[in-house]
Amino acid sequence: MSGTTSDTIVEVRGLSRDFRVRDGLKVRRLTAVDRMTWSIAAGEAVGYIGANGAGKSTTIKMLAGILVPTAGDVHTCGLRPVKDRKKLARRIGVVFGQRSQLWWDLPVRESFGILAAIHSLSRARERARTDELVETLDMGDYLGTPVRQLSLGQRMRAEVAAALLHRPQLLILDEPTIGLDVLSKQRLREFLVRERAEHGTTLLLTTHDMGDVERLCDRVLVVDHGRLAYDGSLDGLGRTVGAERVLVVDLAEPCAELAVPGARHLRSEGGGLRQHLAFDPAATTAARVLAAVSEQADVLDLTIAEPAVEDVVRRIYERATTSSS
Amino acid sequence: MRVYARILAAGFRTQSRYLPAAFAGLLANATFGLLKSGILLTLVDDGGGELDGYTAGTMAAYVWLSQGLLGSVNIWSLPSSAERIKSGDIAVDFLRPADVQLASIADDVGRGLFALIPRGLPSVGVGVLLVGMAMPAQVLPYALGAVSLALGITLSHALAYLLGTAGFWLVEVRGLQVLYMGVAGLLTGLITPVWLFPGWLEAIAVATPFPAVMMYPIDVLSGRTTGTDALWLLAVQAGWLALALAAGQVATRLGRRTLEVQGG
């Protein structure tokens, strides 16, 4: 994954960014991003996650060329973001969930037209791409509505469309589903999955919503206090921190609390008809736990719950905190 | 240039969404215009029908052209870019393959040009109907005047943009804006023609870009300055515009390096 090849879309090496923070009369330096090194290959979908203030947005801004690094190197699409700002702007699309790139007082359609002109799209390409995005993002009903009158869900779809109008190689989404209802989130995620499949767009996503990561990303970078705390698959993340899986069994008859070696009884429902058992997948297997349960009672049905990603990320933080203190 | 023309058109259309505000502005323009013409025409009258080359008719033309321009030139408020620098939204502008300064000025000029319709022309209409203003009978002053007007409007927004870039370094630029408002309000020739200033103040004024914003376009359009003198004024305007744009470019480049868009 390291090394600069033509297939590398983002490469950061020893990337750092300090901020001067005024605290009364004193000025102290705050390191938002601390010597980070990682890269993203073309076509990947990467979730960049971490707590508030962990350094996510700061990194994104340096990748996009709107923030100058204090130290280290960053290459995006093979370009130096600050120096090659305009060239890079033609190759990436960025959505900041909390900032709009649309013309507030004008109809949505107008914003697309202006952005197409800014990206020097031919009329034919502009029309084809706009039609495609309007259809897949279901924006037909509100193309003529001024942006300020859109609902948040409608506006976010328009923002994403605006960022994708010029078919960027890399789409950076900074908190794209913030404040969206379940249905709007779902639609946006479905669209992004489709867009990636059809155009091979590389995706880098910061989010607090683990649903985004689970549904959209095949790789996760966890950042904590400006440092990379984890880099790998989502499943691997669960394994790394030893998050527990939960086996839920429905029994034929009410039963006392099950005692199973290698598993922890969490709770019983229906007087013992349904019982929840947590186990560490690294220490034992679901089959072994189930076999032990079957020796004690008749199992009618079962489900296995995967660890919640919020929980996994919290554990990463806790681990980092205890190891650093 | 297609990009900036498109952004200018967007600014024009954006402003068209604020018609009630434009009419409120027109009302204020007309009220102050009547006050201004009352005072200045009395001065002309006291001077025996002539004051530093102004007759009642040409003074009325000055009053109503200057009032009419108020909605289109920016000498009083911070440009839209200043707010974007403060809020950090300017980051979005830097993510586009366009020049941030030119895009911002094109948007503001578009808005200014639209304001000529609901504020500029009616203001002149009020002057013609109520006071009677002397305007040239030939076509040339209008043609040169249109160019001069466009240069003046653009220059005012280029200067306002430059003022706004102070926001890259200062947390709050309103203090600076108040100072600018005072200086520009006087030296553009909004209150009285620059040519009625005492000699020393007139010398200061013409050494600044401010008369090129409003005084020169009014002189050219009203036919007070004609021929090669008018062309010279246009050249001076173009010179100031080039300087203001160049300074804005430098400020944007330096400012971009200090930009700290924090949070979100």
Side-chain angles (χ1 to χ4, degrees), chain A residues 61-296:
Chain A
K61 282 164 192 154
M62 288 191 282
L63 299 187
I66 51 180
L67 196 60
V68 182
T70 308
D73 271 336
V74 51
H75 280 87
T76 309
C77 300
L79 300 166
R80 293 183 172 275
V82 173
K83 192 169 147 277
D84 303 322
R85 175 181 77 82
K86 285 190 205 172
K87 251 191 233 167
L88 181 60
R90 294 190 189 281
R91 300 199 195 169
I92 63 171
V94 186
V95 175
F96 288 117
Q98 317 204 35
R99 299 185 194 281
S100 180
Q101 56 190 316
L102 305 168
W103 275 255
W104 207 239
D105 294 303
L106 299 180
V108 178
R109 183 189 291 120
E110 284 278 319
S111 285
F112 293 159
I114 300 163
L115 287 169
I118 289 176
H119 284 287
S120 322
L121 300 188
S122 67
R123 298 263 185 242
R125 274 190 66 190
E126 174 188 343
R127 193 164 312 134
R129 183 62 167 157
T130 309
D131 288 350
E132 181 193 354
L133 290 167
V134 167
E135 197 201 313
T136 49
L137 279 165
D138 195 15
M139 299 186 294
D141 290 344
Y142 59 87
L143 266 188
T145 310
V147 174
R148 63 181 144 81
Q149 289 175 4
L150 299 183
S151 72
L152 184 63
Q154 290 174 327
R155 187 172 70 81
M156 281 314 296
R157 274 182 279 156
E159 296 281 357
V160 170
L164 284 169
L165 203 64
H166 57 293
R167 283 190 201 274
Q169 289 171 268
L170 169 67
L171 177 64
I172 299 176
L173 302 170
D174 194 9
E175 305 278 359
T177 57
I178 201 162
L180 294 190
D181 62 46
V182 179
L183 192 66
S184 303
K185 270 183 197 172
Q186 180 61 21
R187 289 167 94 167
L188 193 55
R189 287 170 186 156
E190 278 169 9
F191 166 79
L192 290 169
V193 167
R194 196 166 147 184
E195 173 70 21
R196 270 193 73 210
E198 281 174 17
H199 299 293
T201 315
T202 308
L203 185 67
L204 175 62
L205 172 88
T206 80
T207 184
H208 281 289
D209 190 315
M210 292 309 149
D212 288 347
V213 177
E214 282 174 339
R215 284 167 190 78
L216 293 171
C217 303
D218 36 47
R219 183 176 157 209
V220 183
L221 299 174
V222 179
V223 58
D224 180 46
H225 291 93
R227 295 196 184 185
L228 196 60
Y230 174 82
D231 177 358
S233 69
L234 193 59
D235 293 346
L237 180 63
R239 279 199 298 277
T240 306
V241 294
E244 291 177 316
R245 300 172 85 187
V246 177
L247 176 72
V248 182
V249 287
D250 286 349
L251 307 174
E253 286 167 13
C255 187
E257 266 185 31
L258 294 165
V260 176
R264 209 154 47 83
H265 179 268
L266 291 178
R267 64 177 190 274
S268 297
E269 290 166 26
L273 270 176
R274 172 176 288 182
Q275 304 207 10
H276 297 249
L277 298 160
F279 65 97
D280 178 355
T284 184
T285 64
R288 244 183 265 161
V289 177
L290 183 61
V293 172
S294 301
E295 282 171 15
Q296 300 171 43

Side-chain angles (χ1 to χ4, degrees), chain A residues 17 19 61 64-68 82 85-86 89 96 99 101 103 105 107 110 114-115 117-119 121 123, chain B residues 2-3 6 10 13-14 17-18 87-89 91-92 94-98 256-257 259-264:
Chain A
R17 172 69 207 208
F19 288 107
K61 282 164 192 154
I66 51 180
L67 196 60
V68 182
V82 173
R85 175 181 77 82
K86 285 190 205 172
F96 288 117
R99 299 185 194 281
Q101 56 190 316
W103 275 255
D105 294 303
E110 284 278 319
I114 300 163
L115 287 169
I118 289 176
H119 284 287
L121 300 188
R123 298 263 185 242
Chain B
R2 178 190 152 210
V3 177
R6 188 72 203 245
R13 272 195 287 265
T14 299
R17 309 257 156 177
Y18 295 104
S87 68
D89 284 347
V92 174
F94 280 116
L95 289 171
R96 292 177 178 150
R256 191 176 152 228
R257 302 200 69 89
L259 188 63
E260 289 189 0
V261 183
Q262 294 196 28

Side-chain angles (χ1 to χ4, degrees), chain B residues 13-263:
Chain B
R13 272 195 287 265
T14 299
Q15 199 60 26
S16 73
R17 309 257 156 177
Y18 295 104
L19 271 184
F23 287 120
L26 173 64
L27 195 66
N29 283 175
T31 311
F32 281 99
L34 288 171
L35 201 69
K36 215 158 99 176
S37 71
I39 296 168
L40 289 171
L41 290 177
T42 308
L43 286 175
V44 173
D45 220 28
D46 289 352
E50 203 252 277
L51 179 69
D52 282 341
Y54 281 99
T55 62
T58 55
M59 188 57 94
Y62 155 78
V63 169
W64 294 101
L65 289 175
S66 63
Q67 290 304 104
L69 263 176
L70 264 185
S72 302
V73 299
N74 182 7
I75 50 180
W76 279 344
S77 43
L78 286 170
S80 50
S81 55
E83 186 48 46
R84 296 177 69 76
I85 291 171
K86 191 177 174 186
S87 68
D89 284 347
I90 195 84
V92 174
D93 302 349
F94 280 116
L95 289 171
R96 292 177 178 150
D99 187 277
V100 171
Q101 179 206 24
L102 292 183
S104 177
I105 293 173
D107 185 39
D108 289 340
V109 169
R111 291 167 195 249
L113 289 178
F114 179 81
L116 287 175
I117 301 168
R119 287 184 68 176
L121 293 176
S123 178
V124 171
V126 170
V128 172
L129 291 176
L130 292 186
V131 192
M133 47 191 259
M135 289 295 285
Q138 310 88 341
V139 178
L140 190 61
Y142 294 102
L144 291 180
V147 177
S148 183
L149 210 62
L151 283 169
I153 291 171
T154 311
L155 174 61
S156 79
H157 292 290
L159 290 171
Y161 176 88
L162 186 58
L163 175 72
T165 56
F168 282 122
W169 295 276
L170 305 173
V171 180
E172 186 54 75
V173 289
R174 266 182 297 188
L176 208 60
Q177 179 216 345
V178 170
L179 178 70
Y180 184 85
M181 226 170 98
V183 174
L186 180 70
L187 300 185
T188 48
L190 170 68
I191 300 165
T192 72
V194 170
W195 319 125
L196 301 188
F197 288 172
W200 61 272
L201 189 58
E202 186 184 313
I204 290 176
V206 296
T208 72
F210 297 116
V213 167
M214 199 179 244
M215 197 67 240
Y216 302 166
I218 294 170
D219 284 349
V220 175
L221 196 58
S222 65
R224 185 182 156 88
T225 306
T226 53
T228 48
D229 288 347
L231 289 174
W232 170 246
L233 288 188
L234 261 57
V236 171
Q237 284 186 290
W240 280 119
L241 179 59
L243 266 180
L245 289 176
Q249 275 292 320
V250 173
T252 308
R253 271 183 208 176
L254 294 176
R256 191 176 152 228
R257 302 200 69 89
T258 70
L259 188 63
E260 289 189 0
V261 183
Q262 294 196 28

